[in-house]
Amino acid sequence: MNIHLGRDLASLNLALDALDEWVVVVDESAKILFINQPYAQFLGVKRETSYGRYVVDVIENTRMHLVVENGQEELSKLQEIRGRHMIANRYPIRQAGKVIGAIGFVLYHDTHEWRQMNTQIKALVSELDFYRRALDKEQTGAHYHINDLIGRSPLIKAVNEKIKKVAGGDASVLIRGESGTGKELYAHALHLLSERSKAPFIKINCAAIPENLLESELFGYAEGAFTGAKRGGKQGKFQLADKGTLFLDEIGDMPLTMQAKLLRVLQDREIEAVGSNRLVKIDVRLVTATHQPLEKLVEAGEFREDLYYRINVVSVDLPPLRDRREDIPALAEHFLNRLAARTGRRAPKLTADALTRMLEYAWPGNVREMENAIESAFYLSQGYKISLQALPSSLTAGVSVVDKSLVQGTLKEQLAMAEKDILEQALITCKGNRQLAAKMLGIGKTTIYDKLSRYELTNESFIG
């Protein structure tokens, strides 16, 4: 044996013997290759004589041989040895894709020890939550900064730059985008970048409040204004947002009668509470959002044209996730890291086939749908990998597992291949009608022509 190698192995043995955790290593036949001295001592065996023995004959209720057989890791599993319940982790050892053994760790020597550790962790998490809640109370109500908005695609970079440019003024901003694209998050970021960042950020969803209550929610009411009114009255969202920002989400769902009253407030910069005849001056920056085409609502007489121009001084259009697929890996990593921080678990990684499917999927629910999918997979998966099978069935229906050996090339190259496949499928579905394919994919006519040219998709068999 090489002298240095022998010395290294001896040092490794000493290090593993010094651990509180008990360690065992088996080969592909589930025979013991190594066991550290504390574990051997507890088992009542001599370490040297245990080497080469079948692990089942040495360790009571072991599952090391099963890990070798099925290649599946087992985390935080109960195991009874000599009348004591312990908690163990077991991992397969692979070489060139083949399982050649397994390694196991007994982390907690009894369940009481684990419960003590769990109690300490819960106490620390509780303390952290206390300070977080205390900090939140001091905040203005906006929580998402521009740096929290994940994405390096050209489309998102352009949106972020536009937000930075308009944040410093008081112009009304209309944020447009499909459901789930993050309109509210951008309203938060706009407020925190503005000169009003220390003042309140107040939000209200116009679609979630009945028409007969919306006026009092926005403008407040005086004492005795109606049956059930609070003594002393109640401030509305405009009063609460004074000197700050008021975010009206789903502005396209606001009833016409309320649109007229909102327009008057924006023109006069003063509000009149329900049941009061007193006008109150307000200083509020208005940010609105909608997923609806307001221009069509104006044409149909369902949205006031004068209000449309009042709220649409600056328009910010958020791209759907399908138009910025290159952001998907970074978004997935962000959501997984956030879940890991919340739960105290190590952040898992997406396998190549899971990431490939996420890049191919259309994401009709956009970033919100993706966040929900990641959270579901996070809790349903075990270990440090999220496989294709762990993704929600809505993503994987009719999809077979992709052979990892087929996933080749850089991320940019894989994204390009996925985009090309999606374009081809859309054109086949639309029988070569490029404009119809563009509409189905939610992209512009110019965009699809550019992409078809880039990928040299000019086959007359599917392009009309």
Side-chain angles (χ1 to χ4, degrees), residues 351-363:
T351 60
D353 50 1
L355 178 58
T356 298
R357 180 54 188 155
M358 294 186 74
L359 292 170
E360 294 173 343
Y361 184 63
W363 299 111

Side-chain angles (χ1 to χ4, degrees), residues 97-346:
K98 180 183 177 182
V99 176
I100 61 169
I103 183 169
F105 300 89
V106 177
L107 302 179
Y108 301 103
H109 302 162
D110 54 49
T111 52
H112 173 70
E113 184 179 338
W114 178 83
R115 281 195 295 267
Q116 282 187 317
M117 179 64 72
N118 194 40
T119 299
Q120 292 179 33
I121 292 172
K122 285 183 177 179
L124 289 172
V125 171
S126 177
E127 183 178 1
L128 179 62
D129 285 343
F130 171 80
Y131 288 116
R132 185 183 289 123
R133 287 193 301 270
L135 181 63
D136 285 344
K137 289 179 181 178
E138 297 176 7
Q139 297 296 322
T140 65
H143 310 296
Y144 301 99
H145 199 274
I146 193 73
N147 294 328
D148 296 319
L149 304 171
I150 307 300
R152 295 182 178 179
S153 63
L155 289 173
I156 283 299
K157 282 184 177 180
V159 170
N160 290 351
E161 286 303 312
K162 191 170 189 178
I163 289 289
K164 291 174 185 177
K165 287 178 182 177
V166 303
D170 275 338
S172 297
V173 177
L174 173 62
I175 304 175
R176 302 168 180 261
E178 295 177 9
S179 179
T181 50
K183 297 185 288 294
E184 181 178 336
L185 272 62
Y186 271 93
H188 283 243
L190 182 67
H191 173 77
L192 290 177
L193 285 171
S194 73
E195 296 298 320
R196 298 172 179 262
S197 61
K198 301 298 182 183
F201 174 84
I202 304 297
K203 59 185 179 181
I204 184 171
N205 188 319
C206 299
I209 299 174
E211 182 176 352
N212 60 327
L213 297 179
L214 188 56
E215 182 177 3
S216 60
E217 281 293 318
L218 284 173
F219 310 132
Y221 58 79
E223 182 175 349
F226 49 81
T227 303
K230 287 184 179 179
R231 178 177 295 181
K234 177 186 174 182
Q235 286 189 316
K237 302 302 185 187
F238 269 97
Q239 295 100 311
L240 293 173
D242 193 37
K243 302 294 190 296
T245 302
L246 177 61
F247 174 53
L248 299 182
D249 198 6
E250 302 299 351
I251 185 73
D253 291 299
M254 179 176 282
L256 279 168
T257 53
M258 278 305 305
Q259 291 178 29
K261 294 176 181 179
L262 175 61
L263 177 64
R264 188 181 67 248
V265 168
L266 297 179
Q267 290 172 335
D268 300 337
R269 296 286 176 178
E270 56 187 18
I271 61 102
E272 182 179 337
V274 176
S276 172
N277 55 10
R278 187 169 67 94
L279 295 175
V280 178
K281 290 287 184 182
I282 49 101
D283 175 17
V284 170
R285 183 184 195 174
L286 187 69
V287 178
T288 56
T290 184
H291 69 281
Q292 300 192 60
L294 292 186
E295 294 82 358
K296 291 185 179 179
L297 294 182
V298 169
E299 290 177 8
E302 296 174 9
F303 199 88
R304 293 181 64 104
E305 184 176 16
D306 43 8
L307 178 60
Y308 168 75
Y309 288 115
R310 276 281 179 181
I311 65 174
N312 192 27
V313 178
V314 177
S315 181
V316 176
D317 296 300
L318 301 187
L321 187 54
R322 61 182 174 273
D323 285 353
R324 56 182 189 106
R325 295 177 188 271
E326 58 265 55
D327 290 334
I328 288 175
L331 283 166
E333 183 179 9
H334 169 72
F335 294 140
L336 288 170
N337 287 336
R338 192 169 67 184
L339 286 164
R342 186 190 307 166
T343 60
R345 172 184 165 187
R346 176 178 166 184

Side-chain angles (χ1 to χ4, degrees), residues 11-75:
S11 298
L12 180 60
N13 284 348
L14 287 172
L16 293 174
D17 286 347
L19 292 176
D20 285 336
E21 293 84 359
W22 299 339
V23 185
V24 63
V25 181
V26 299
D27 64 13
E28 59 187 0
S29 300
K31 293 181 179 179
I32 296 176
L33 289 175
F34 173 82
I35 187 168
N36 68 343
Q37 185 58 36
Y39 202 179
Q41 185 175 346
F42 170 74
L43 294 170
V45 299
K46 290 185 178 181
R47 177 160 62 176
E48 291 74 14
T49 60
S50 68
Y51 292 166
R53 294 178 62 189
Y54 192 42
V55 68
V56 171
D57 298 330
V58 179
I59 303 176
E60 184 182 359
N61 296 317
T62 184
R63 292 177 54 85
M64 293 291 290
H65 58 300
L66 299 177
V67 173
V68 172
E69 289 175 12
N70 59 37
Q72 299 295 317
E73 62 187 27
E74 297 183 353
L75 303 179

